[in-house]
Amino acid sequence: MNYAKFNFALIISLLILLISSCSKKKDSSINEYKEEPFITEEILDEIEAEQKPITDKLKKLTPISSEDMDAWMPDKLGNLDRVNYKSNAMPTSFTFVTIARFKSSNASEQLDITLMDGAGPMGSVAISPFLDLERITRSASTDEGYQKTITKNGTVYFQKYNKQKDIYILQFTSKKRFIIKIETQNITEASLWEYASQFHFNALPGI
């Protein structure tokens, strides 16, 4: 993988969908805790080679249209109403990114969803690491929360929880094409999964 591609994959993928450790520094009276980086160029090279049959197909595809995304995105999730929505939210990244926010009537509960289409020359590069989530994530647990990789119905999910802010983050790929991040605040874990199930990911275009 050349430097430009490596840099793009890291910056776009990691900035858009925030793969970061929930681990923080321990008490300052104790030696500072530092986690060694584990997403290396070598790992990305291996994943790129393994996922090449998929990314080669994605590279030839046209990203989903704003009209199709408009039709797919729900207006309501249970008792949450959609209050913000934008398709093709990051055109300068040359990837098709969609964002939406849902809130309860009293605004105490909130859910944000971000989708990035892996179709096209840039999208196919950005999605490559996410096609092997277990290789680019680690399980960890602290007093402040946890992060873990789980598998449900054949889909691998990376789930994070921040106890102090009561924030859940769920990241996964759908149809081997879309990178998806769901973030909730003041919503239970059970409700997180219930709301996630109300998005019809199977209706999104595949490869």
Side-chain angles (χ1 to χ4, degrees):
M1 178 182 287
N2 61 43
Y3 178 78
K5 185 183 291 185
F6 173 69
N7 191 51
F8 178 85
L10 280 179
I11 291 175
I12 295 297
S13 301
L14 304 189
L15 285 185
I16 290 176
L17 297 180
L18 302 177
I19 283 198
S20 58
S21 173
C22 66
S23 302
K24 296 182 181 291
K25 291 191 299 181
K26 292 183 178 180
D27 190 294
S28 58
S29 63
I30 308 175
N31 291 334
E32 183 176 320
Y33 171 79
K34 291 183 179 179
E35 185 177 14
E36 292 297 322
F38 65 97
I39 305 177
T40 64
E41 184 171 359
E42 289 73 22
I43 289 176
L44 291 181
D45 278 341
E46 291 175 5
I47 295 174
E48 180 188 30
E50 292 166 2
Q51 302 299 331
K52 193 172 186 298
I54 295 174
T55 55
D56 280 351
K57 291 179 181 178
L58 288 170
K59 190 182 303 181
K60 299 174 184 177
L61 297 178
T62 301
I64 189 171
S65 68
S66 291
E67 291 76 16
D68 287 343
M69 181 56 71
D70 293 348
W72 178 87
M73 183 66 70
D75 295 317
K76 191 176 181 66
L77 297 172
N79 67 331
L80 305 181
D81 294 316
R82 196 175 78 194
V83 296
N84 187 32
Y85 167 74
K86 187 173 184 180
S87 63
N88 200 20
M90 298 179 65
T92 56
S93 72
F94 301 102
T95 57
F96 191 93
V97 177
T98 300
I99 57 175
R101 171 167 290 178
F102 298 79
K103 283 189 174 185
S104 59
S105 57
N106 60 6
S108 62
E109 299 179 350
Q110 178 174 301
L111 182 148
D112 294 310
I113 184 169
T114 303
L115 301 92
M116 194 204 79
D117 191 349
M122 292 295 117
S124 61
V125 173
I127 196 174
S128 179
F130 289 88
L131 294 171
D132 195 346
L133 268 180
E134 292 176 303
R135 292 277 298 282
I136 63 170
T137 58
R138 282 181 173 175
S139 296
S141 180
T142 70
D143 292 339
E144 298 175 354
Y146 66 81
Q147 61 183 41
K148 61 183 179 180
T149 304
I150 58 178
T151 301
K152 285 191 173 188
N153 300 320
T155 299
V156 177
Y157 299 89
F158 182 55
Q159 181 178 330
K160 298 170 62 177
Y161 179 61
N162 183 307
K163 185 184 297 184
Q164 182 179 4
K165 297 181 179 179
D166 195 16
I167 291 176
Y168 282 100
I169 294 177
L170 197 63
Q171 297 172 224
F172 57 101
T173 60
S174 179
K175 307 293 285 285
K176 296 182 180 181
R177 173 168 169 171
F178 289 85
I179 308 172
I180 297 160
K181 172 190 160 192
I182 296 174
E183 180 173 336
T184 64
Q185 188 163 18
N186 299 324
I187 288 176
T188 66
E189 183 178 9
S191 294
L192 160 69
W193 288 102
E194 173 57 32
Y195 288 136
S197 72
Q198 294 181 35
F199 289 101
H200 299 295
F201 297 115
N202 286 335
L204 289 168
I207 57 175

